[in-house]
Amino acid sequence: AIDAVSLVLKDPPPYVVFHTFDASSLNLTLFYWIAGSQTPQFRAADLGVPAIKQAFEAAGIEIPFPISKVYSLGGRREIGDGQPHTEEP
């Protein structure tokens, strides 16, 4: 996907390094090169990130949202509507 971005140099080729297992993700770093004297670094990232996201979507790869579960030991609490609700164990 990144090689489709016109600002990215073909040589050296881009490469990806796995670096961390996180709570809900595998974290990777993509290295790619641009003609730095002609292209601002942030412009290259601004074009590169959407290209990668589109490639992920086309391949059916989803970026997960972290999910947290909160457990209550029972009792009453208010939920959005302002009305008291009883927790089921």
Side-chain angles (χ1 to χ4, degrees):
I2 197 67
D3 54 354
V5 176
S6 63
L7 301 175
V8 174
L9 299 176
K10 305 297 183 214
D11 189 37
Y15 67 93
V16 176
V17 176
F18 165 79
H19 62 83
T20 314
F21 279 107
D22 215 342
S24 61
S25 65
L26 299 173
N27 298 331
L28 311 167
T29 299
L30 170 64
F31 293 93
Y32 58 95
W33 286 259
I34 58 171
S37 62
Q38 300 169 351
T39 307
Q41 175 184 355
F42 297 112
R43 177 72 177 136
D46 190 47
L47 296 172
V49 171
I52 295 164
K53 184 176 185 307
Q54 289 173 358
F56 280 7
E57 289 173 352
I61 299 170
E62 296 180 10
I63 307 296
F65 290 99
I67 297 173
S68 299
K69 292 184 178 182
V70 178
Y71 295 95
S72 173
L73 298 177
R76 294 166 56 97
R77 64 186 177 103
E78 290 185 5
I79 301 176
D81 58 7
Q83 299 299 314
H85 297 270
T86 302
E87 292 285 322
E88 297 290 327

